[in-house]
């Protein structure tokens, strides 16, 4: 399945037209907060680079540095049209060592029922997503210690790529040249939900011990 990473920043107003638009809009806003929480959790920036905010009645972290905040915002908001169409399978926050080899991935696996016709109560959806933010905030013991000079990026895995001719948002996502693991990764579940019309799984991926030896 293709995976891509954002190039230039993109920002735009999130419009929630219809049921799918509302679900996708809430999901994109959640992903922006959750990805910021992941970056804060890993401690690769000083704590002063973040500030406390309240979202979905949960205390979360917001990036204070404009470039960091814009990178996360532009990446996830650029996925909005593709999430509305059910094209995005996974969104990953990937951390690399100095050899540009992935050492840890936080995976958000998405399923949006495109044929769901009933109205979705926003409060019900937010209640379910809130539990992910709470669980994420206490998940550090499940993670690995990263080297001090590691880097990270946001990646998206598409079920099928958007048509470039019909979507300007497809142009901001390019195929990545990131090195891939040769062995199946070790998976650690963090949280999951399956409540129509949205299914969401959050889990960690780490390289297998044989991968580290061979690398």
């Amino acid at each position: 399945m293709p995976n891509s990473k954002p190039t230039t920043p993109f920002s735009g107003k999130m419009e929630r037209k219809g049921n799918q638009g509302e679900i996708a809009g809430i999901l994109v806003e959640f992903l922006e907060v959750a990805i910021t929480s992941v970056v804060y959790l890993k401690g690769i920036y000083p704590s002063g680079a973040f500030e406390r905010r309240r979202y979905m009645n949960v205390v979360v972290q917001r990036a204070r540095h404009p470039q960091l905040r814009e990178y996360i915002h532009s990446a996830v908001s650029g996925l909005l049209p593709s999430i509305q169409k059910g094209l995005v399978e996974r969104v990953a926050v990937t951390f690399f060592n100095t050899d540009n080899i992935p050492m840890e991935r936080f995976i958000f696996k998405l399923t949006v029922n495109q044929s769901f016709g009933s109205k979705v109560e926003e409060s019900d959806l937010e209640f379910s997503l809130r539990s992910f933010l709470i669980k994420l905030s206490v998940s550090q013991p499940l993670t690995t210690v990263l080297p001090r000079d590691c880097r990270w990026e946001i990646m998206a895995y598409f079920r099928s790529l958007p048509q470039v001719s019909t979507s300007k948002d497809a142009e901001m996502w390019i195929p990545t040249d990131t090195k891939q693991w040769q062995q199946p990764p070790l998976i650690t579940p963090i949280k999951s939900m399956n409540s129509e019309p949205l299914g969401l799984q959050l889990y960690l991926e780490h390289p297998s011990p044989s991968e580290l030896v061979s690398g």
Side-chain angles (χ1 to χ4, degrees), residues 13-80:
K13 184 178 180 180
M14 297 179 190
E15 297 184 2
R16 299 178 182 177
K17 296 180 179 179
N19 202 38
Q20 298 302 329
E22 183 176 7
I23 297 166
I26 294 172
L27 185 55
V28 163
E29 290 174 358
F30 161 80
L31 285 172
E32 182 172 350
V33 175
I35 289 172
T36 303
S37 299
V38 167
V39 177
Y40 174 80
L41 182 76
K42 294 306 299 178
I44 58 178
Y45 299 109
S47 58
F50 301 87
E51 57 187 358
R52 289 160 64 92
R53 286 287 188 269
R54 186 169 290 273
Y55 176 74
M56 293 185 177
N57 205 30
V58 176
V59 175
V60 297
Q61 299 293 329
R62 176 178 181 265
R64 298 180 65 183
H65 194 285
Q67 289 183 332
L68 175 59
R69 188 168 64 245
E70 177 61 21
Y71 170 66
I72 298 173
H73 173 76
S74 63
V76 295
S77 62
L79 287 173
L80 178 59

Side-chain angles (χ1 to χ4, degrees), residues 58-115:
V58 176
V59 175
V60 297
Q61 299 293 329
R62 176 178 181 265
R64 298 180 65 183
H65 194 285
Q67 289 183 332
L68 175 59
R69 188 168 64 245
E70 177 61 21
Y71 170 66
I72 298 173
H73 173 76
S74 63
V76 295
S77 62
L79 287 173
L80 178 59
S82 297
I83 291 176
Q84 286 177 320
K85 297 172 185 176
L87 299 178
V88 179
E89 181 189 35
R90 287 171 290 164
V91 177
V93 184
T94 306
F95 296 87
F96 304 85
N97 64 12
T98 53
D99 295 322
N100 206 33
I101 296 175
M103 297 302 296
E104 185 170 62
R105 287 194 184 109
F106 285 75
I107 305 288
F108 297 86
K109 187 174 183 180
L110 319 175
T111 304
V112 179
N113 186 349
Q114 298 296 304
S115 61

Side-chain angles (χ1 to χ4, degrees), residues 133-207:
L133 298 174
I134 296 172
K135 189 73 172 180
L136 188 57
S137 67
V138 295
S139 63
Q140 187 171 10
L142 303 176
T143 69
T144 189
V145 177
L146 297 173
R148 184 180 298 273
D149 50 356
C150 70
R151 70 175 189 87
W152 67 280
E153 66 184 29
I154 301 170
M155 305 171 69
Y157 297 75
F158 293 84
R159 293 183 174 89
S160 60
L161 289 175
Q163 294 296 320
V164 176
S165 58
T166 59
S167 174
K168 66 179 181 180
D169 301 293
E171 298 175 1
M172 70 165 293
W173 288 86
I174 60 172
T176 180
D177 55 0
T178 298
K179 296 179 182 178
Q180 302 297 323
W181 294 321
Q182 301 303 310
Q183 303 294 328
L186 302 177
I187 295 177
T188 304
I190 296 178
K191 183 69 178 175
S192 65
M193 63 167 278
N194 189 4
S195 179
E196 288 287 8
L198 176 64
L200 178 63
Q201 297 178 46
L202 171 59
Y203 56 91
L204 282 167
E205 287 186 350
H206 293 113

